[in-house]
Amino acid sequence: MADSIEFLYEKNLEEDAYLFNEGKNLRAYEFLGSHEIKIDNKNYVRFVVWAPRARYVNLVGDFNDWNDLDLPLKPIGETGLWNITLRRVEVYDAYKYRIVGENGEIKYKADPFAFHSELRPKTASKYYDLKGYDWRDGRWMGKRKKEKNQPKPMSIYEVNLSSWKKKENGDFYSYREMADELVNYVKSMKFTHVELMPIMEHPYDGSWGYQISGYFAPTSRFGTPKDFMYLVDSFHKKDIGVILDWVPGHFCPDDFALRTFDGSPTFEHPDSNLSVNPQWGTINFDFSKSEVRNFLISSVLYWMDYYHIDGIRVDAVSYILHYSIEGELGNPESENVDRSGLLFLRELNDIVSKNYPDAMMIAEDSSAWPRVTGSIEHGGLGFDYKWNMGWMNDILRYSTLDPIYRKDNHNLVTFSLMYAFNENFILPFSHDEVVHMKGSMINKMPGGYKEKFLGLKLLIMFMYGHPGKKLNFMGNEIAQFDEWNEWESVTWSVLDFEKHQKYKRFFKDLNDLYRKEEALWKIDDSYDGFEWIEVDNRDESVFIFERYSKEESIICVYNFTSVPRNDYPIGVREEGNYKVILNSYMKKYGGNLSRNKPNKTKKESFHGRDYSLRVDIPPLSGMFIKKKK
């Protein structure tokens, strides 16, 4: 077999290698990994890998019957990169690098820059040519560019592809099957975006994708890279944006992947106190290395270049900013701050904003780090959005209380408006809130069967009235009673029951209304878009505020007790007729109300306003009220 393999070593690779060493080869995935090239009108495949302390590196794969020694790679100067260029490599050929470390230990490693991988439990990389997909999302991409600086509604549906829906025999739906099933469902439910939990290659299903082995490979569980392109394309053709979860803080500890890649700490810190992540059983990246930063930043650009991804949600930002999650958090002056991680995040966001100013970078940060969405020039991290974990924790704590105790915890509702405009926030009811014995969203609600549905509709209406973009995990929209189980699909069977059918209709109508009513989203980042009307009525647990666009406003009314509040006065600024445009207590949503009463203002001052309405507020309900034109 060896005699039939034609291989050579290219010259003039030093410039690309130097840029990678310097952390400036922004599209390193076009150089490292495996790529088809032409030499003297012949097709070759070039392999380049970073293994700076390796004594020897050999290529083994289907193309040489996995012979250990007949395809030695050659160092590219003193750069720590190795290369070899072969004839007769076929698409889908599996391969690994055989790396001999400084101490003589031999490791067989998957390619960190591979575009495709074998299906687990196999671990080899596969040669794959990404060229040639016929994208049909030009209208979406043009619209994205045109509207990059304009306010927009965002209602995000968070999905774990392996457990959204399964076939009767337990098999996964493929990327292409999801392009019919999932895309049409998300469209029908009126969501604006989908957020996919990590689809980068990972060895263990139970990690949910958060222990990544392949930062440039969509997992082969659901198909090929071009199949994933087809899924993204399908979302875009239905006017749905695609956000990917991405995990730059740590990687899977499996020996075939990045860990001690060249026989010594390569992608990780040499000090095990800094490299080992005991909470997740993973390995932390070493952000002080320019090659590691280049690897990660290149990964984000890759997903935007080749897959037209609209946004990246950066997981566990607090772990990147701090040496220890047990130490002081959120203080930029603390000795617990990892300055290399801080510089990495700023560099990442700066580069993405220059290359893709119309894409979103989203921080999942549980600390109180200041100016996460502030500009880098003014000391910020440069993200576009931050998950509002404080709001989520407070409102869930409040909503799980028996209504009779809510008056003593009034501040759990009001406090978030003290800082709601410090950052550009997304309000998340994510997967993290419905796992590990936390219970499903509806099971968090107090009371009996009926009260649970009333309470959950009220909570979701409060979310949609509150400033900030919205994110809900799959199953939230049908009031699934089971806690999320990554090994099972969403319990769609609950839709056999009327209460769940009506709740799903409520969720869909709420999404639809949110998208159409600019007052609910156009000014999400300042008090110009929000004003309290009733904020101090702790005894009755009634909250009323007004949301504004420049042209219109919507009054948001909430009763967090089981007692109806009839003939309740609401101060308004303008005289005229008002109508309820959404009421969670309607019969069509599972409540008892057949119709909403018309409301005409009275010349009666309330809440510091010259006019007022009198409305009946049902128990455990929310309503949106708008002035008739």
Side-chain angles (χ1 to χ4, degrees):
M1 183 73 180
D3 292 340
S4 66
I5 299 177
E6 181 183 340
F7 67 91
L8 52 85
Y9 304 107
E10 285 185 80
K11 299 178 180 179
N12 304 318
L13 300 178
E14 287 79 6
E15 182 177 354
D16 282 324
Y18 169 79
L19 289 173
F20 179 70
N21 288 157
E22 293 294 306
K24 303 299 182 185
N25 195 332
L26 300 183
R27 288 172 170 79
Y29 48 85
E30 294 178 349
F31 174 56
L32 284 96
S34 53
H35 298 276
E36 184 180 56
I37 60 171
K38 275 193 179 293
I39 299 176
D40 298 330
N41 290 320
K42 292 181 180 180
N43 291 326
Y44 288 79
V45 174
R46 180 180 67 207
F47 295 81
V48 177
V49 65
W50 181 53
R53 295 182 187 83
R55 289 169 60 184
Y56 308 103
V57 180
N58 287 76
L59 184 65
V60 298
D62 291 341
F63 35 73
N64 75 335
D65 290 335
W66 296 87
N67 184 295
D68 276 355
L69 301 176
D70 63 5
L71 292 175
L73 276 74
K74 182 179 180 181
I76 303 175
E78 302 297 321
T79 64
L81 285 89
W82 302 69
N83 84 104
I84 190 171
T85 301
L86 306 187
R87 286 268 288 157
R88 289 187 289 277
V89 177
E90 302 294 334
V91 171
Y92 301 119
D93 275 354
Y95 69 95
K96 282 189 175 181
Y97 296 108
R98 178 183 181 272
I99 297 176
V100 181
E102 286 180 313
N103 61 0
E105 182 182 6
I106 298 172
K107 291 178 177 284
Y108 292 85
K109 292 289 192 176
D111 190 340
F113 283 87
F115 297 149
H116 194 30
S117 299
E118 288 185 307
L119 178 62
R120 52 93 178 94
K122 293 182 177 181
T123 59
S125 303
K126 286 186 173 184
Y127 169 65
Y128 191 86
D129 187 359
L130 291 173
K131 297 189 296 293
Y133 180 79
D134 183 16
W135 284 94
R136 303 294 179 90
D137 65 347
R139 185 178 61 83
W140 168 268
M141 297 300 285
K143 175 185 171 187
R144 197 182 90 176
K145 184 176 290 188
K146 181 180 178 182
E147 298 177 355
K148 65 181 180 180
N149 294 320
Q150 298 177 17
K152 55 184 176 288
M154 282 177 59
S155 177
I156 304 166
Y157 188 57
E158 186 191 24
V159 177
N160 175 266
L161 284 184
S162 64
S163 61
W164 179 72
K165 187 180 283 190
K166 290 188 176 182
K167 298 178 181 178
E168 288 186 5
N169 64 359
D171 287 350
F172 297 140
Y173 280 80
S174 69
Y175 291 127
R176 287 184 177 266
E177 289 168 333
M178 286 281 186
D180 293 324
E181 291 274 338
L182 178 59
V183 172
N184 289 331
Y185 179 77
V186 173
K187 181 70 174 179
S188 73
M189 289 300 294
K190 308 298 183 180
F191 289 98
T192 64
H193 292 73
V194 66
E195 181 174 318
L196 304 179
M197 291 168 68
I199 55 85
M200 297 84 189
E201 194 58 83
H202 52 282
Y204 178 49
D205 291 12
S207 76
W208 312 339
Y210 289 95
Q211 296 187 11
I212 295 174
S213 55
Y215 279 78
F216 297 83
T219 178
S220 54
R221 287 167 176 79
F222 314 113
T224 69
K226 287 179 182 174
D227 292 338
F228 182 60
M229 293 177 188
Y230 181 83
L231 176 60
V232 176
D233 206 7
S234 299
F235 275 120
H236 284 173
K237 287 189 287 187
K238 296 283 189 178
D239 286 323
I240 299 165
V242 180
I243 300 165
L244 294 187
D245 275 13
W246 181 69
V247 190
H250 55 106
F251 54 87
C252 80
D254 300 58
D255 199 50
F256 74 89
L258 300 180
R259 184 176 191 172
T260 56
F261 186 78
D262 65 2
S264 64
T266 309
F267 290 87
E268 67 269 47
H269 199 281
D271 182 349
S272 61
N273 292 317
L274 298 176
S275 65
V276 175
N277 190 317
Q279 179 173 355
W280 290 318
T282 52
I283 309 299
N284 297 324
F285 280 106
D286 182 358
F287 302 111
S288 69
K289 296 176 181 175
S290 55
E291 294 93 346
V292 171
R293 298 194 304 275
N294 201 154
F295 170 80
L296 291 168
I297 293 170
S298 180
S299 170
V300 169
L301 295 180
Y302 163 79
W303 293 103
M304 293 179 177
D305 279 353
Y306 280 102
Y307 297 92
H308 296 195
I309 295 303
D310 304 293
I312 294 289
R313 179 262 201 185
V314 179
D315 184 63
V317 166
S318 358
Y319 282 83
I320 298 171
L321 290 170
H322 302 94
Y323 288 118
S324 171
I325 207 68
E326 305 298 329
E328 183 183 6
L329 303 181
N331 177 8
E333 305 305 319
S334 169
E335 293 182 359
N336 189 37
V337 171
D338 182 348
R339 302 291 164 188
S340 297
L342 170 60
L343 293 174
F344 160 70
L345 289 173
R346 285 176 173 160
E347 182 182 10
L348 167 69
N349 288 324
D350 181 55
I351 288 172
V352 171
S353 69
K354 289 174 178 174
N355 284 267
Y356 286 99
D358 52 340
M360 296 178 288
M361 295 297 290
I362 302 167
E364 187 264 320
D365 175 28
S366 55
S367 77
W369 189 278
R371 298 186 296 280
V372 172
T373 58
S375 69
I376 296 168
E377 293 77 9
H378 293 96
L381 296 184
F383 284 96
D384 297 290
Y385 294 98
K386 174 185 174 177
W387 277 20
N388 193 336
M389 312 293 275
W391 171 86
M392 178 272 297
N393 285 312
D394 284 351
I395 197 62
L396 285 182
R397 183 180 162 198
Y398 182 83
S399 297
T400 57
L401 293 170
D402 187 295
I404 64 173
Y405 299 118
R406 288 176 176 168
K407 64 182 180 180
D408 299 321
N409 294 273
H410 197 74
N411 66 306
L412 291 175
V413 176
T414 60
F415 180 65
S416 63
L417 272 304
M418 301 293 289
Y419 63 85
F421 310 114
N422 292 355
E423 305 277 6
N424 296 325
F425 281 122
I426 292 174
L427 310 180
F429 288 146
S430 74
H431 66 277
D432 278 328
E433 312 323 315
V434 292
V435 290
H436 301 323
M437 306 302 291
K438 294 178 184 176
S440 66
M441 290 296 291
I442 194 165
N443 260 335
K444 296 179 193 294
M445 301 298 107
Y449 187 69
K450 175 184 176 182
E451 288 74 26
K452 285 181 179 295
F453 279 93
L454 292 176
L456 186 56
K457 285 183 290 180
L458 169 58
L459 172 60
I460 297 299
M461 272 201 78
F462 183 77
M463 175 197 215
Y464 275 69
H466 192 287
K469 309 308 180 186
K470 327 299 176 187
L471 178 140
N472 274 280
F473 185 55
M474 62 185 196
N476 290 0
E477 82 284 6
I478 61 170
Q480 170 177 308
F481 269 97
D482 290 340
E483 184 178 78
W484 175 49
N485 179 347
E486 66 268 23
W487 307 107
E488 304 288 341
S489 71
V490 170
T491 52
W492 299 105
S493 58
V494 299
L495 291 173
D496 293 338
F497 300 92
E498 185 181 35
K499 282 285 189 186
H500 293 272
Q501 295 169 11
K502 290 183 174 181
Y503 179 83
K504 181 186 175 188
R505 179 179 178 181
F506 159 77
F507 209 108
K508 173 183 176 178
D509 288 355
L510 179 59
N511 261 337
D512 197 29
L513 181 82
Y514 166 72
R515 294 176 66 151
K516 292 174 179 176
E517 296 292 344
E518 292 187 357
L520 293 175
W521 52 262
K522 195 163 190 179
I523 308 176
D524 260 342
D525 57 357
S526 82
Y527 285 105
D528 292 340
F530 177 91
E531 183 181 14
W532 279 113
I533 296 174
E534 182 76 279
V535 65
D536 294 323
N537 189 354
R538 65 174 59 244
D539 288 337
E540 295 181 313
S541 299
V542 171
F543 302 86
I544 307 172
F545 53 75
E546 195 159 7
R547 293 298 310 279
Y548 297 94
S549 67
K550 292 181 179 178
E551 297 81 20
E552 297 180 317
S553 70
I554 289 177
I555 297 169
C556 305
V557 182
Y558 306 97
N559 177 6
F560 277 93
T561 71
S562 302
V563 180
R565 308 296 178 187
N566 294 326
D567 205 34
Y568 198 95
I570 301 176
V572 295
R573 297 196 183 282
E574 295 183 27
E575 184 180 16
N577 293 307
Y578 287 73
K579 66 176 180 177
V580 176
I581 58 174
L582 189 70
N583 189 328
S584 67
Y585 208 71
M586 299 297 291
K587 279 188 177 179
K588 63 182 177 180
Y589 302 140
N592 295 331
L593 201 61
S594 297
R595 58 186 291 271
N596 292 295
K597 296 179 182 178
N599 287 284
K600 188 172 183 178
T601 56
K602 296 181 179 180
K603 183 61 176 171
E604 189 178 10
S605 178
F606 275 98
H607 303 118
R609 297 172 169 205
D610 292 339
Y611 303 95
S612 61
L613 307 170
R614 292 279 180 167
V615 299
D616 294 339
I617 313 175
L620 296 173
S621 71
M623 65 174 73
F624 293 157
I625 301 172
K626 184 177 181 181
K627 187 177 185 293
K628 288 185 177 181
K629 292 183 179 179

